[in-house]
Amino acid sequence: MKTSQFRHHFSVPKHADGSEKIYFCGNSLGLMPTEAREAVEKELNRWADLGVDGHFHGNPEWLGYHRILEPTLARLAGAKPVEICAMGTLTTNLHLGMISFYRPEGKRKKILMEQGSFPSDRYAVVSQLELHGFDPEQDLIELTPDEYGLIDDDRVVETIQAHAEELALVLWPGVQYSSGQYFDLGRICLASREAGIPIGLDLAHAIGNVPLELHEWAPDFAVWCSYKYLNAGPGAVAGFFVAERHACFDGPRLAGWWGHDESSRFVMEPDFKPATGAEGWQISGAPIFNLAALAGSLQVYEQAAIASLQEAETDLTASLIEQLDSDNGPVHVVTPTDPARRGCQVSMRLRSGRSQGRALFERLSEAGVVGDWREPDIIRIAPTPMYNTQNEVDRVADMIKRWA
Ligand SMILES: Cc1ncc(COP(=O)(O)O)c(C=O)c1O
């Protein structure tokens, strides 16, 4: 099965002359599937027809709407339905996870993350440390990448073990946003659990892109966004995972009425009784149009019957790497070439330096190639098999070889 047979489901941005751009930016904002528009329009119509009754009437009723997403989301996350919930936004969910699972005590108060993490993650971590009255200079451990911008899985495990006595949380990415490196999350979660350290995962660049087995890996919590490979649109509703062992969590959390047990939510009791599993971390009434866009977009995943783009038959990324990566060539591919250590994103820099890299990026943009630039010197190109084609990969590889 070639997933690019699903390309016709997506709206591809166009040049002024009506020809399609070469869109390699699904790692930032995935394209709009027709199904997302239809699903949102359906809920707008139901709002027009039913008003407030939409909460309790129609199919699906808005109360519990998020549950129609569960089977597909659970498959993509490799999780049980009780462990996941489509809710909130990524950074907010990260805070919710940290409020519950970052519980510093005595010497155990530090947080480990990767140096060069997505800034929002670092802001969130630093603010959590400060909330507890700690000094990020002392209490944040950031593991530095090697000279090529990668972090070996062995080093992650060794660092966890070396700092076991002082760590209160590990926060790790599934796929690193800048390098495109996919970590051995099973090993990292196991090392953390064996050392008795709670672990949270940021799966922004992993969900839909690489295979995930969250139930088996059992991090304490995980978060993701849905606007990249899940194609649910800008600001889309995000995802939250808590391991099954925390389904009846009685530790601290930031509570809101939507996390209250659904059967008695509308009894309006003063005391909070959390819903079982990840749903218990919801705070506000569900964003129905947002959930609808995700529900529509996930229909494409249902039809493609894949859990990750890596399962797609055509490895467009391998082809792009093969055409660009050579020891003596102008391009240094940062992303690991081994398919087990990457998803579909290729991060590259020019050996000749930042300004040439920037000039190449601008030339590509002018030619209608939509990739992105990440400071200080990385060009990211993400061929997503759901809608990109071999022809597009060949064309961009050719442009880069000619202009680099
Ligand atoms: C790795 C990573 N973490 C966090 C974020 C921030 O996400 P949000 O703005 O949805 O909170 C992003 C956004 O692209 C990201 O790539």
Side-chain angles (χ1 to χ4, degrees):
M1 177 203 63
K2 288 199 185 341
T3 43
S4 59
Q5 69 181 269
F6 292 95
R7 182 180 170 94
H8 70 276
H9 291 248
F10 295 89
S11 298
V12 181
K14 295 196 173 58
H15 292 279
D17 69 3
S19 63
E20 286 177 343
K21 292 191 174 180
I22 303 183
Y23 194 83
F24 281 132
C25 216
N27 56 336
S28 183
L29 182 69
L31 291 180
M32 189 198 74
T34 316
E35 288 82 348
R37 187 198 293 276
E38 288 168 357
V40 174
E41 275 173 6
K42 182 176 163 207
E43 297 316 315
L44 282 167
N45 290 336
R46 291 181 60 214
W47 177 29
D49 294 344
L50 297 174
V52 71
D53 286 342
H55 285 294
F56 302 102
H57 293 95
N59 185 21
E61 53 190 44
W62 293 335
L63 189 75
Y65 188 100
H66 61 284
R67 283 204 198 94
I68 65 168
L69 309 167
E70 270 175 10
T72 312
L73 265 189
R75 186 160 59 78
L76 295 172
K80 291 191 174 179
V82 69
E83 293 174 312
I84 55 151
C85 188
M87 57 178 257
T89 56
L90 191 158
T91 308
T92 313
N93 293 351
L94 188 54
H95 277 298
L96 296 181
M98 287 196 281
I99 286 283
S100 292
F101 298 106
Y102 173 53
R103 315 268 296 277
E105 235 187 277
K107 254 186 74 186
R108 276 202 167 193
K109 57 178 183 168
K110 299 192 178 184
I111 301 181
L112 171 69
M113 70 193 304
E114 92 277 23
Q115 192 184 66
S117 66
F118 192 84
S120 197
D121 291 24
R122 194 174 190 279
Y123 305 154
V125 164
V126 166
S127 64
Q128 288 282 335
L129 286 165
E130 288 171 346
L131 260 178
H132 287 273
F134 301 145
D135 176 5
E137 290 280 320
Q138 306 289 325
D139 297 319
L140 176 60
I141 303 179
E142 292 175 282
L143 191 51
T144 38
D146 63 20
E147 56 183 310
Y148 305 108
L150 304 178
I151 305 180
D152 202 66
D153 293 306
D154 288 340
R155 280 186 59 222
V156 186
V157 169
E158 284 158 19
T159 308
I160 291 171
Q161 289 164 347
H163 293 274
E165 296 305 311
E166 47 183 8
L167 282 175
L169 183 75
V170 175
L171 176 65
W172 211 254
V175 172
Q176 216 282 342
Y177 89 98
S178 177
S179 68
Q181 178 182 358
Y182 173 30
F183 290 95
D184 187 343
L185 297 177
R187 243 186 104 197
I188 293 170
C189 289
L190 181 65
S192 209
R193 276 210 319 283
E194 283 180 348
I197 307 160
I199 179 165
L201 301 177
D202 177 343
L203 303 176
H205 288 262
I207 189 102
N209 178 21
V210 292
L212 296 174
E213 294 296 341
L214 288 184
H215 178 70
E216 192 188 316
W217 302 337
D220 291 271
F221 73 97
V223 295
W224 61 83
C225 54
S226 314
Y227 43 76
K228 299 180 189 294
Y229 300 105
L230 299 190
N231 308 312
V237 67
F240 190 62
F241 164 96
V242 281
E244 196 177 23
R245 65 183 177 281
H246 300 306
C248 298
F249 186 76
D250 63 0
R253 75 173 97 202
L254 292 183
W257 76 311
W258 224 251
H260 190 97
D261 174 43
E262 198 177 296
S263 64
S264 58
R265 185 183 295 150
F266 291 92
V267 179
M268 303 299 199
E269 290 161 338
D271 292 328
F272 179 70
K273 182 180 162 208
T276 306
E279 288 183 3
W281 273 264
Q282 295 172 99
I283 293 186
S284 295
I288 296 301
F289 305 130
N290 226 327
L291 286 166
L294 178 58
S297 137
L298 289 182
Q299 285 173 24
V300 188
Y301 270 93
E302 280 161 39
Q303 291 172 43
I306 55 168
S308 73
L309 295 178
Q310 278 205 332
E311 282 179 31
E313 186 194 310
T314 330
D315 193 347
L316 299 174
T317 298
S319 166
L320 183 62
I321 292 175
E322 202 180 295
Q323 297 189 55
L324 294 180
D325 196 35
S326 73
D327 286 345
N328 307 317
V331 176
H332 167 63
V333 173
V334 175
T335 307
T337 51
D338 177 359
R341 296 186 67 212
R342 61 162 174 80
C344 62
Q345 171 184 321
V346 183
S347 304
M348 61 191 90
R349 58 164 64 96
L350 288 200
R351 292 188 211 278
S352 50
R354 183 188 182 281
S355 56
Q356 280 86 348
R358 185 73 214 178
L360 169 65
F361 176 72
E362 274 159 23
R363 197 153 175 203
L364 289 170
S365 306
E366 278 158 27
V369 177
V370 188
D372 67 10
W373 173 262
R374 282 290 173 264
E375 294 294 349
D377 58 358
I378 299 281
I379 297 174
R380 301 189 308 176
I381 299 283
T384 59
M386 192 71 94
Y387 44 75
N388 287 124
T389 63
Q390 184 66 49
N391 177 272
E392 290 177 312
V393 167
D394 295 344
R395 279 159 63 203
V396 81
D398 182 58
M399 290 180 209
I400 293 174
K401 281 191 285 189
R402 278 191 288 127
W403 297 338

